[in-house]
């Protein structure tokens, strides 16, 4: 068994025990509760510290078909015939005709995109061709238009005709076009197909008639309706979901994908920029990683590469946080490390990335960015060195990166990592060694049971206020259910994360960045669960965990405000958790209250030091069942609702729903 799976199994075992503990925790909380009001003071006039604009962000990793088949809107799988099996995703089709599909090598050799497809056609009175099944089907909407393009040439004197159709699962044509003007020279042909029906499992059929041969490469289909209508761009609905969270940063490209299963398979940003047909495709390291969720057709075309990433971060007003390979492949897999004598090329990649993002047009990499259509710098401020590495080998390599980066780019904040676990020998070792160095932030990861999250609402209370800052870079509550070994995005998991996040909020002096992980998953092609946002070929939905993230992120504020009950922060007393912040620019006070008990909780608050407008708002997220979750069919089973609330003089009384996450918004009086 692979080590990562072993780790997951152990986590699952732990979860089982902890879910039981969790249930008893909830029961004991219920017995303590009663209906007495909790009196809370909110010291609006005593801000503790600044909250960083980067506080709540997102973690993008190309896992679960997040990039190809997900946010990257290309609808054709294996468009350039470069998968290990060059015809994967394609099937032969014919009617009163015959022929052959022959993957062929370019001559002279092309290192980046070595194959094209030769279609030998013998169909003077019929048709022969091929059909692509998309990424678990092709999603099209009635009336929407789709840009088809292909690089093609035909053999001499062949007179071959080419027709392209969208086909529904019953074989009906639901849109099509003809490609005319094929010659013996390679040329790019483009045409628009309009769908006559909405269909989530369509296919694309390319048919030829006549006799001869035709060569094809880069067979592509994109919706014209992409994010910002960019041709060859990103899926609008998925980007909108991310943008709606107003994240402070976007971490990219992961995750273990940064590391690769071995060093050859690591993520190399330089192969992800420039014209798409010149980006070298590789196997996605997640394709066969998970025993029960194997996806042999999972590759990285890098259509969503580093340029598109920087552009996305800029579009949605988030800081980019690229994570780079530090000369180590995944320690759960091959665990290869580059010798220290060769670490220079990895550090050079980091320096070149900074130049690509921020350099002028006169620098070699700045010039590449400008040639891609972005003359202005992307203002990169952070860089992550290594993903989830551990032990001396990491520290040794990190030290070299830090030395050079600090010297050459003192303006860039470096994010280092504490490894895969939230505690233990390796975690302690990483912290003790990194404290001797000077990263701006240390990335901590925790995929733990809900009870851990509730208990750890106090995790950062005793971290050094003046020490290295924390990036809670990957976290998610994993709660095992009877019918599935992998966790769902249950209401219990979201509730526990919310309780924990009040602890991050209360410790904004220590925690400067936090991101749930992973971000995206295709319902028919995932490897890892839970995930923040789920999608199929037509729809995209938020999980309860997503709404929790959104509630915190859109009510971030810029000053941390103390919330006290009997002089102490609320960190689970009588199942209540709380944090607060104020926002000078909106003139608002945000009070976050989480009730993890099955009973309603009356709460009486006295926001101190300022006067507030009488009417305020409470946003509530709750569900009747702890194991409820949202689906494509019922995307709003767990969904925030807003209610008006009214101050009584200087006091505010609310009753928190059982198992609820609440954000109260009060407006300061001018
Ligand atoms: O988020 C999924 C994986 O979890 C990430 O790739 C890795 O960093 C962690 O182990």
């Amino acid at each position: 068994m692979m080590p990562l799976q072993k780790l997951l199994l152990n986590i699952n075992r732990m979860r089982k025990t902890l879910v039981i503990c969790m249930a008893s925790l909830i029961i004991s909380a219920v017995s303590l509760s009663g209906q007495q009001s909790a009196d809370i003071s909110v010291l609006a006039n005593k801000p503790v510290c600044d909250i960083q604009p980067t506080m709540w962000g997102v973690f993008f990793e190309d896992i679960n078909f997040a990039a190809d088949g997900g946010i990257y809107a290309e609808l054709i799988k294996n468009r350039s015939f470069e998968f290990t099996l060059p015809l994967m995703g394609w099937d032969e089709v014919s009617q009163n005709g015959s022929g052959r599909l022959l993957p062929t090598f370019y001559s002279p050799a092309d290192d980046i995109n070595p194959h094209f497809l030769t279609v030998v056609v013998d169909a003077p009175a019929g048709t022969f061709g091929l059909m692509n099944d998309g990424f678990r089907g092709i999603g099209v909407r009635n009336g929407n238009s789709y840009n088809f393009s292909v690089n093609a040439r035909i053999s001499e004197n062949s007179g071959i005709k080419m027709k392209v159709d969208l086909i529904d699962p019953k074989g009906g044509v639901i849109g099509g076009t003809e490609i005319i003007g094929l010659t013996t020279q390679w040329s790019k042909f483009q045409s628009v197909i309009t769908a006559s029906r909405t269909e989530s499992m369509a296919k694309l059929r390319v048919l030829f008639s006549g006799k001869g041969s035709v060569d094809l490469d880069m067979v592509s289909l994109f919706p014209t309706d992409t994010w910002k209508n960019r041709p060859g761009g990103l899926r609008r609905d998925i980007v909108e979901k991310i943008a709606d969270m107003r994240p402070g940063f976007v971490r990219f490209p992961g995750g273990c994908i940064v590391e690769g299963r071995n060093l050859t398979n690591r993520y190399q940003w330089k192969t992800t920029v420039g014209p798409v047909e010149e980006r070298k495709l590789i196997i996605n390291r997640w394709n066969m990683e998970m025993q029960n969720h194997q996806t042999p057709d999972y590759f990285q075309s890098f259509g969503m590469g580093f340029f598109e990433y920087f552009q996305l971060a800029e579009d949605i007003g988030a800081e980019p946080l690229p994570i780079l390979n530090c000369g180590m492949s995944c320690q759960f897999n091959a665990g290869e490390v580059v010798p220290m004598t060769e670490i220079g090329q990895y550090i050079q990649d980091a320096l070149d990335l900074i130049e690509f993002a921020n350099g002028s047009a006169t620098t070699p990499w700045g010039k590449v960015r400008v040639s891609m259509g972005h003359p202005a710098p992307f203002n990169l401020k952070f860089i992550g060195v290594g993903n989830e590495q551990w032990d001396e080998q990491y520290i040794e390599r990190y030290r070299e990166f830090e030395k050079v980066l600090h010297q050459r780019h003192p303006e860039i904040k470096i994010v280092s990592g504490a490894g895969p676990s939230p505690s233990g020998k390796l975690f302690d070792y990483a912290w003790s060694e990194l404290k001797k160095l000077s990263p701006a932030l240390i990335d901590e990861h925790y995929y733990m049971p809900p009870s851990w999250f509730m208990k750890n609402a106090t995790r950062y209370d005793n971290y050094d206020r003046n020490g290295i800052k924390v990036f809670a870079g990957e976290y998610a509550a994993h709660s095992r259910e009877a019918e599935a070994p992998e966790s769902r995005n249950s209401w219990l998991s979201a509730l526990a994360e919310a309780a924990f996040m009040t602890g991050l909020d209360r410790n904004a002096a220590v925690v400067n960045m936090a991101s749930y992980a992973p971000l995206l998953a295709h319902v028919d092609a995932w490897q890892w669960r839970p995930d923040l946002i789920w999608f199929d070929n037509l729809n995209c939905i938020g999980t309860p965990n997503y709404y929790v993230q959104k509630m915190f992120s859109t009510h971030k504020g810029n000053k941390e405000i103390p919330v006290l009950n009997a002089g102490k922060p609320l960190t689970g007393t009588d199942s209540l958790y709380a944090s607060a912040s104020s926002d000078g620019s909106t003139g608002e006070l945000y009070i976050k209250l989480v009730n993890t008990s099955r009973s309603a909780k009356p709460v009486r608050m006295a926001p101190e030091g300022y006067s507030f407008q009488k009417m305020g708002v409470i946003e509530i997220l709750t569900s009747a069942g702890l194991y409820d979750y949202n689906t494509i069919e019922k995307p709003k089973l767990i969904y925030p609702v807003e209610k008006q609330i009214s101050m009584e003089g200087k006091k505010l009384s609310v009753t928190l729903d059982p198992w609820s996450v609440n954000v109260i918004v009060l407006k300061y009086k001018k």
Side-chain angles (χ1 to χ4, degrees):
M1 190 182 303
M2 280 164 274
L4 190 59
Q5 284 170 314
K6 232 186 214 167
L7 179 88
L8 285 174
L9 262 182
N10 285 339
I11 292 176
N12 282 336
R13 270 189 217 119
M14 270 159 50
R15 272 184 219 138
K16 204 175 182 182
T17 333
L18 285 156
V19 166
I20 297 166
C21 300
M22 163 64 209
S24 41
L25 238 165
I26 291 167
I27 291 161
S28 62
V30 173
S31 54
L32 279 176
S33 67
Q35 283 301 300
Q36 233 185 335
S37 268
D39 278 314
I40 293 177
S41 25
V42 183
L43 309 182
N45 54 344
K46 296 199 175 126
V48 180
C49 67
D50 287 346
I51 295 176
Q52 295 304 313
T54 52
M55 182 71 189
W56 309 110
V58 293
F59 161 93
F60 182 98
E61 176 167 21
D62 189 3
I63 184 172
N64 306 317
F65 276 35
D68 288 341
I71 199 167
Y72 181 50
E74 172 65 86
L75 295 168
I76 303 302
K77 185 170 71 187
N78 193 12
R79 64 185 172 191
S80 56
F81 310 100
E82 298 302 340
F83 282 18
T84 317
L85 299 173
L87 285 175
M88 189 178 255
W90 295 96
D91 286 314
E92 198 176 292
V93 282
S94 63
Q95 212 177 20
N96 300 325
S98 62
R100 277 179 303 153
L101 303 178
L102 302 174
T104 313
F105 284 100
Y106 279 101
S107 170
D110 176 347
D111 277 352
I112 291 169
N113 180 9
H115 296 95
F116 59 90
L117 183 72
T118 297
V119 187
V120 180
V121 184
D122 186 1
T127 52
F128 177 79
L130 62 164
M131 183 134 84
N132 190 273
D133 52 20
F135 297 90
R136 307 293 190 274
I138 294 176
V140 291
R141 286 194 186 278
N142 185 15
N144 282 13
S145 53
Y146 297 84
N147 282 328
F148 172 80
S149 66
V150 63
N151 294 346
R153 69 176 175 191
I154 47 173
S155 55
E156 257 173 60
N157 308 320
S158 66
I160 282 185
K161 293 212 164 59
M162 179 174 178
K163 194 169 166 353
V164 183
D165 291 316
L166 282 169
I167 305 294
D168 71 16
K170 289 187 180 148
V173 174
I174 55 170
T177 185
E178 274 179 31
I179 301 295
I180 43 175
L182 294 166
T183 71
T184 54
Q185 298 302 312
W186 277 111
S187 311
K188 181 170 179 173
F189 297 87
Q190 305 188 64
S191 186
V192 174
I193 300 177
T194 302
S196 59
R197 205 153 67 65
T198 297
E199 176 55 62
S200 67
M201 295 304 259
K203 295 188 178 195
L204 184 91
R205 189 175 67 188
V206 184
L207 285 181
F208 303 97
S209 54
K211 203 167 162 46
S213 75
V214 55
D215 295 335
L216 305 175
D217 205 352
M218 291 300 282
V219 186
S220 170
L221 186 73
F222 269 93
T224 53
D225 178 27
T226 55
W227 168 250
K228 291 195 177 279
N229 296 320
R230 291 192 183 117
L234 305 182
R235 219 174 108 167
R236 178 194 292 279
D237 58 341
I238 297 182
V239 177
E240 279 173 356
K241 265 269 169 326
I242 299 171
D244 285 351
M245 292 168 71
R246 286 193 248 135
F249 65 91
V250 182
R251 170 177 165 170
F252 180 94
C256 295
I257 202 103
V258 172
E259 304 162 357
R261 302 189 84 175
N262 51 36
L263 281 174
T264 317
N265 179 238
R266 73 188 189 277
Y267 196 105
Q268 301 189 55
W269 76 265
K270 287 175 181 166
T271 65
T272 76
V273 296
V276 281
E277 52 283 353
E278 288 171 23
R279 302 182 191 178
K280 192 170 173 56
L281 176 133
I282 62 170
I283 292 180
N284 186 302
R285 60 141 298 147
W286 290 105
N287 76 344
M288 300 298 269
E289 181 85 34
M290 304 310 224
Q291 231 161 40
N292 298 327
H293 295 277
Q294 303 215 330
T295 42
D297 55 341
Y298 197 4
F299 286 73
Q300 292 176 270
S301 74
F302 299 113
M304 160 100 184
F306 254 83
F307 179 84
E308 292 76 16
Y309 157 57
F310 282 134
Q311 199 175 37
L312 170 68
E314 181 179 75
D315 287 346
I316 64 177
E319 295 294 345
L321 168 55
I323 307 288
L324 295 185
N325 189 296
C326 64
M328 301 176 77
S329 77
C330 182
Q331 287 163 284
F332 289 116
N333 295 141
E336 288 175 352
V337 290
V338 75
M340 289 307 290
T341 47
E342 287 167 36
I343 193 77
Q345 54 174 310
Y346 290 74
I347 300 176
Q348 190 58 46
D349 277 352
L351 295 172
D352 291 343
L353 182 67
I354 298 169
E355 185 176 290
F356 176 72
N358 296 349
S360 74
T362 57
T363 61
W365 284 105
K367 197 167 154 193
V368 176
R369 183 197 71 243
V370 176
S371 74
M372 292 182 75
H374 202 284
F378 281 119
N379 284 320
L380 177 67
K381 300 189 184 88
F382 298 91
I383 214 159
V385 176
N387 168 46
E388 204 179 59
Q389 268 61 57
W390 61 81
D391 235 331
E392 289 102 339
Q393 290 171 319
Y394 173 59
I395 300 299
E396 216 183 347
R397 282 158 187 77
Y398 171 79
R399 194 182 290 122
E400 273 311 295
F401 268 82
E402 187 184 286
K403 198 165 77 192
V404 180
L405 287 173
H406 275 169
Q407 200 183 21
R408 298 275 303 275
H409 288 285
E411 77 285 5
I412 298 284
K413 290 188 175 162
I414 307 179
V415 178
S416 61
S421 323
S423 56
K425 230 168 117 187
L426 293 173
F427 176 88
D428 293 341
Y429 172 76
W431 262 96
S432 70
E433 289 302 311
L434 289 167
K435 272 184 187 166
K436 298 177 200 159
L437 297 161
S438 33
L441 295 113
I442 297 182
D443 178 11
E444 297 189 352
H445 294 181
Y446 15 87
Y447 295 102
M448 301 297 278
S451 56
W452 183 94
F453 278 88
M454 295 192 196
K455 237 187 273 157
N456 275 270
T458 53
R459 178 179 175 89
Y460 295 108
D461 290 5
N462 298 318
Y463 269 53
D464 181 2
R465 266 50 202 154
N466 302 311
I468 303 170
K469 303 302 173 199
V470 167
F471 168 32
E474 290 186 34
Y475 64 91
H478 285 219
S479 64
R480 189 190 167 118
E481 299 154 71
E483 93 275 14
E486 303 92 350
S487 323
R488 284 198 187 271
N489 287 94
S490 65
W491 175 231
L492 170 61
S493 68
L495 188 64
E497 285 153 14
F500 174 75
M501 286 164 72
T502 61
L504 303 183
D505 220 4
R506 278 189 307 100
N507 287 287
V510 172
V511 182
N512 284 184
M513 292 177 142
S515 47
Y516 181 98
L519 179 65
L520 297 173
H522 190 300
V523 291
D524 295 324
W526 58 275
Q527 297 82 44
W528 180 291
R529 197 169 74 185
D531 307 284
L532 203 61
I533 296 169
W534 287 81
F535 58 89
D536 64 10
N537 296 334
L538 288 175
N539 311 285
C540 171
I541 65 147
T543 57
N545 316 71
Y546 168 84
Y547 292 111
V548 164
Q549 292 290 324
K550 189 175 164 197
M551 284 167 81
F552 275 72
S553 179
T554 55
H555 300 103
K556 181 166 50 197
N558 48 24
K559 298 270 180 220
E560 182 197 325
I561 301 293
V563 186
L564 303 174
N565 170 239
K568 290 199 187 122
L570 269 166
T571 59
T573 324
D574 206 12
S575 308
L576 289 178
Y577 298 79
S579 63
S581 56
S582 67
D583 191 322
S585 59
T586 58
E588 289 172 336
L589 175 71
Y590 308 125
I591 307 165
K592 290 146 197 159
L593 289 159
V594 180
N595 175 15
T596 58
S597 147
R598 66 165 73 241
S599 311
K601 298 272 176 175
V603 173
R604 207 168 40 210
M605 271 164 284
E608 290 175 20
Y610 291 98
S611 299
F612 293 88
Q613 292 180 18
K614 186 172 169 59
M615 297 309 290
V617 166
I618 182 167
E619 198 177 326
I620 307 162
L621 187 66
T622 185
S623 193
L626 284 176
Y627 292 96
D628 290 349
Y629 55 90
N630 290 345
T631 58
I632 299 275
E633 295 71 31
K634 286 192 180 165
K636 294 189 175 173
L637 181 70
I638 306 166
Y639 191 74
V641 291
E642 252 186 42
K643 288 186 186 158
Q644 296 283 311
I645 44 172
S646 165
M647 303 267 302
E648 296 140 23
K650 288 194 170 283
K651 298 230 172 318
L652 176 70
S653 295
V654 291
T655 297
L656 306 178
D657 285 348
W659 295 328
S660 64
V661 177
N662 309 271
V663 179
I664 292 172
V665 182
L666 296 177
K667 277 221 174 273
Y668 288 93
K669 269 191 185 159
K670 293 226 168 86

